[in-house]
């Protein structure tokens, strides 16, 4: 079966000429449909750049990125926005919830470009992340862990094939971080979504299927955890 995500010899630099910094250097990786993937590595290794390229928020200098068989490196701005809305769910470290909206309204927000506002589905997603009773609360009325759970529900609003998470537990305490990460992996597993998560959390390696280590813009290691745990166990 063809991979859902395939990066082929992708290179990305920032700056010009002698001052250019190579964020990624001929990176190739694959992720299958339903696979849970962790990307780890030190600060400045190129992890966020990798996610930005897969989500078509940025373009590589060379190489190609295929998602569900389509080359996303050639998309127009409008095409890239449509691709993200229909096929990708993005979870940010800083949550990026709109402060004036309730939890329910934040989850409904990604549905608007698709011309549908499925309140029942949004409530189902909030219930799945344990926040059915907090749907009418604004972000200021929620804890950091609760806000990140709303962000997970929002990322799944359009039932994406691919979920990208950039240090999603970086602003949480240890207990909340463990709970949120287990919830994210379990929810993606149950829904059959591919998850690519950037995190330094070593415990995640026991939940995911594959771990890619980025160092200096290259893939320095790939491993499949030997003793993988069930998400949430």
């Amino acid at each position: 079966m063809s991979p859902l995500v395939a990066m082929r010899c992708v290179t990305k630099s920032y700056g010009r000429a002698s001052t250019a910094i190579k964020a990624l250097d001929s990176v190739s990786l694959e992720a299958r449909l339903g696979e849970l993937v962790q990307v780890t590595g030190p600060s400045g290794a190129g992890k966020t750049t990798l996610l930005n390229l897969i989500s078509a928020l940025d373009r590589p200098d060379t190489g190609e990125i295929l998602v569900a068989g389509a080359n996303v490196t050639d998309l127009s701005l409008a095409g890239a926005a449509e691709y993200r809305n229909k096929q990708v769910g993005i979870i940010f470290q800083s949550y990026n919830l709109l402060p004036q909206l309730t939890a329910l309204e934040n989850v409904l927000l990604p549905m608007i470009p698709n011309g549908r506002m499925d309140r029942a589905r949004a409530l189902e997603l909030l219930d799945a992340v344990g926040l059915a009773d907090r749907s009418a609360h604004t972000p200021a009325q929620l804890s950091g862990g609760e806000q990140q759970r709303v962000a997970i529900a929002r990322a799944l609003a359009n039932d994406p094939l691919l979920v990208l998470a950039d240090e999603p537990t970086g602003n949480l305490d240890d207990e909340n971080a463990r709970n949120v990460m287990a919830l994210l992996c379990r929810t993606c597993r149950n829904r059959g979504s591919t998850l690519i998560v950037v995190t330094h959390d070593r415990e995640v390696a026991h939940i995911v299927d594959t771990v890619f280590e980025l160092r200096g813009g290259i893939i320095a290691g790939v491993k499949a955890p030997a003793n993988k745990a069930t998400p949430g166990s």
Side-chain angles (χ1 to χ4, degrees), residues 88-111:
V88 184
I90 303 177
I91 303 169
F92 302 93
Q93 178 178 339
S94 55
Y95 321 138
N96 283 16
L97 301 178
L98 292 185
Q100 70 272 28
L101 300 183
T102 65
L104 176 60
E105 290 166 342
N106 269 285
V107 176
L108 286 169
L109 198 60
M111 300 180 186

Side-chain angles (χ1 to χ4, degrees), residues 6 52-60 64-76 79-80 83 87-88:
N52 286 345
L53 293 175
I54 294 174
S55 62
L57 287 169
D58 205 349
R59 291 188 177 190
E64 65 177 9
I65 302 168
L66 304 177
V67 178
N71 190 337
V72 303
T73 62
D74 297 327
L75 295 174
S76 64
Y83 154 69
Q87 297 193 59
V88 184

Side-chain angles (χ1 to χ4, degrees), residues 5-233:
V5 178
M7 300 185 72
R8 310 294 192 204
C9 298
V10 170
T11 297
K12 178 64 180 180
S13 297
Y14 297 100
R16 295 183 177 181
S18 60
T19 61
I21 298 174
K22 189 170 286 187
L24 293 179
D25 188 1
S26 298
V27 167
S28 296
L29 63 80
E30 294 183 351
R32 301 182 306 275
L33 182 63
E35 186 175 9
L36 307 184
V37 175
Q38 178 185 7
V39 180
T40 187
S43 178
K47 303 184 299 296
T48 296
T49 297
L50 184 144
L51 293 188
N52 286 345
L53 293 175
I54 294 174
S55 62
L57 287 169
D58 205 349
R59 291 188 177 190
D61 301 328
T62 60
E64 65 177 9
I65 302 168
L66 304 177
V67 178
N71 190 337
V72 303
T73 62
D74 297 327
L75 295 174
S76 64
L77 289 177
E82 182 179 9
Y83 154 69
R84 284 189 294 273
N85 185 255
K86 292 186 175 180
Q87 297 193 59
V88 184
I90 303 177
I91 303 169
F92 302 93
Q93 178 178 339
S94 55
Y95 321 138
N96 283 16
L97 301 178
L98 292 185
Q100 70 272 28
L101 300 183
T102 65
L104 176 60
E105 290 166 342
N106 269 285
V107 176
L108 286 169
L109 198 60
M111 300 180 186
I112 294 175
N114 293 333
R116 67 186 183 98
M117 294 285 281
D118 192 337
R119 181 184 175 90
R121 173 166 174 76
L123 287 170
E124 174 195 346
L125 288 168
L126 285 173
D127 184 50
V129 299
L131 291 176
D133 60 341
R134 308 285 277 173
S135 62
H137 291 65
T138 62
Q141 297 170 311
L142 302 173
S143 68
E146 288 172 333
Q147 289 184 60
Q148 193 58 294
R149 282 189 275 162
V150 174
I152 291 172
R154 180 185 59 187
L156 297 170
N158 290 327
D159 200 21
L161 293 174
L162 175 63
V163 177
L164 304 175
D166 191 1
E167 295 284 5
T169 60
N171 290 329
L172 305 179
D173 59 66
D174 289 345
E175 182 177 1
N176 267 316
R178 284 193 298 270
N179 291 340
V180 165
M181 188 58 68
L183 171 67
L184 174 58
C185 291
R186 183 172 65 249
T187 304
C188 287
R189 180 79 78 193
N190 290 344
R191 292 180 174 272
S193 299
T194 298
L195 171 67
I196 301 179
V197 56
V198 165
T199 178
H200 294 286
D201 188 347
R202 294 183 179 181
E203 292 187 17
V204 177
H206 300 294
I207 302 175
V208 300
D209 302 305
T210 308
V211 179
F212 290 96
E213 182 182 6
L214 268 177
R215 287 187 177 274
I218 65 173
I219 299 290
V222 183
K223 63 181 179 180
N227 299 305
K228 187 172 62 177
T230 300
S233 64

